[in-house]
Amino acid sequence: MRRANSASHKRVGAAQKMDHADEQAMELEALEAIYADDYVRLDDGGGGAPSFELTLVPETGGDNNHVSVCVHVVYAPTYPEAPPEISVRNVRGLIDTQVDECAAMLRAAAAGDELLGTAMVYSLAEMAQSWMAERNVPEDRDM
């Protein structure tokens, strides 16, 4: 009886295993629809891992965005079971240590149990936007 359960468990496990390429393609399509011009698909070099950039601001459509970052994402071959490679660059209003802090936060979240195994880029983008909202101050223009 134990063997039947074990064999049954293996079939369920195999059936639940995701097709990484399909999962990635669905997420890329969703991100493009959500972020429109703020989403840029990058050339994967013919067969390489999918990569893209999202330009983010604290408040989408808002007039009071004083900070902005560009998040560069490269899918691991087994994403979303493995975290993507993430880098962040300043577009506006942040200093290098803040950009590094944002990148570290996103990498930690991507590798955490809460997001691993799920399409996570939208959640990561929301985290970055929330993080930026706390630092969304106008540049000092006193000269």
Side-chain angles (χ1 to χ4, degrees), residues 27 30-31 34-35 52 54 56 60 73 75 79 106 115 118-129:
E27 184 176 36
L31 292 169
I34 293 166
Y35 292 102
F52 56 92
L54 293 176
L56 302 171
T60 304
V73 178
Y75 285 154
Y79 173 87
L106 295 178
L115 294 178
T118 65
M120 66 179 78
V121 175
Y122 181 79
S123 295
L124 294 171
E126 285 189 316
M127 287 179 194
Q129 288 176 299

Side-chain angles (χ1 to χ4, degrees), residues 63-67 91-93 136-143:
D63 292 331
N64 293 316
N65 291 312
H66 305 289
V67 296
V91 174
R92 184 168 128 197
N136 190 30
V137 294
E139 291 182 46
D140 186 5
R141 301 219 183 255
D142 293 342
M143 292 191 168

Side-chain angles (χ1 to χ4, degrees), residues 4 8 11 15 25 31 35 38 43 52 66 76 82 99 104 108 113 124 135:
S8 173
R11 280 194 303 273
L31 292 169
Y35 292 102
D38 293 326
D43 183 10
F52 56 92
H66 305 289
V99 174
D113 290 340
L124 294 171
R135 291 149 183 87

Side-chain angles (χ1 to χ4, degrees), residues 6-55:
S6 178
S8 173
H9 183 269
K10 286 181 183 175
R11 280 194 303 273
V12 169
Q16 289 177 340
K17 187 170 182 166
M18 63 182 73
D19 180 331
H20 300 113
D22 287 347
E23 188 82 16
Q24 293 170 13
M26 287 190 304
E27 184 176 36
L28 290 171
E29 189 176 317
L31 292 169
E32 184 175 18
I34 293 166
Y35 292 102
D37 293 339
D38 293 326
Y39 166 91
V40 177
R41 176 77 188 261
L42 303 173
D43 183 10
D44 59 16
S51 64
F52 56 92
E53 291 183 336
L54 293 176
T55 301

